[in-house]
Amino acid sequence: MEKQVKGRVWIFDDDINTDLIIPARYLNTFDPDELAKYCMVDADEDFPNKVKPSDIIVAGKNFGCGSSREHAPIAIKAAGIACVVAKSFARIFYRNAINIGLPIVECTEAYDMVKEGDEITIDFENGQVTHHPSGQNFNSTQFPEFMKELMNSDGLMNWIKQRGFV
């Protein structure tokens, strides 16, 4: 995981569930590239055509609620999203994102301040989100050391493989 990511913002509301992130009708594959084609289509049908690598999702509370499918963070990561910033995350989504190496941070002020299309930087080391149009900095959550190791390994399975456990 990089120490910082900078990207254009896509805004989503509260309670974005896993069915909105990757609809059930597309769950017949685990292929990340195929899942990326349908990422967020039920929330914004043109999202897969508009999103660019290094873009950032900023959302309200309870992002990733609903079913425990790992497809949801896989689709987001495969679509090129560099990080998801939300007021809060559903617990299972949070852990699934860490397990596959999708950076996520909680930051209430970012959701309240940024607009779609704005550019922000997330500094993972210092726990800050910088809103470039205004120059304001907001505090965000930081990963504990163990989770930083998982993220730096690009997820749990890579972390396990790097240590020779499989």
Side-chain angles (χ1 to χ4, degrees), residues 117-128:
D118 285 354
E119 192 171 73
I120 63 173
T121 297
I122 295 104
D123 182 335
F124 298 109
E125 289 295 310
N126 297 310
Q128 284 200 323

Side-chain angles (χ1 to χ4, degrees), residues 10-22 39-44 57-67 72 76 84-86 88-90 93 111:
W10 295 97
I11 300 289
F12 291 95
D13 293 326
D14 293 340
D15 302 313
I16 296 296
N17 65 48
T18 54
D19 287 323
L20 290 173
I21 296 169
I22 184 69
C39 181
M40 306 299 287
V41 294
D42 281 359
D44 175 350
I57 289 176
V58 175
K61 63 182 183 191
N62 203 27
F63 186 86
C65 58
S67 72
I76 291 170
V84 179
V85 178
S88 65
F89 292 93
F93 178 89
Y111 179 76

Side-chain angles (χ1 to χ4, degrees), residues 1-121:
M1 177 176 74
E2 298 177 38
K3 292 182 183 204
Q4 292 185 350
V5 294
K6 182 178 183 178
R8 176 181 56 158
V9 169
W10 295 97
I11 300 289
F12 291 95
D13 293 326
D14 293 340
D15 302 313
I16 296 296
N17 65 48
T18 54
D19 287 323
L20 290 173
I21 296 169
I22 184 69
R25 64 189 176 275
Y26 303 115
L27 296 180
N28 55 356
T29 183
F30 264 102
D31 177 21
D33 293 331
E34 192 64 23
L35 293 171
K37 293 177 187 177
Y38 307 105
C39 181
M40 306 299 287
V41 294
D42 281 359
D44 175 350
E45 68 182 33
D46 206 30
F47 183 77
N49 299 320
K50 298 185 294 187
V51 69
K52 303 281 187 256
S54 82
D55 284 355
I56 297 167
I57 289 176
V58 175
K61 63 182 183 191
N62 203 27
F63 186 86
C65 58
S67 72
S68 62
R69 63 181 68 144
E70 292 176 335
H71 295 75
I74 291 170
I76 291 170
K77 185 176 178 182
I81 296 297
C83 183
V84 179
V85 178
K87 283 187 172 186
S88 65
F89 292 93
R91 190 162 185 78
I92 293 173
F93 178 89
Y94 182 90
R95 189 55 203 215
N96 283 340
I98 300 300
N99 285 349
I100 64 115
L102 173 65
I104 58 176
V105 296
E106 291 181 347
C107 180
T108 300
E109 293 82 10
Y111 179 76
D112 294 338
M113 178 68 178
V114 303
K115 305 286 183 256
E116 192 157 287
D118 285 354
E119 192 171 73
I120 63 173
T121 297

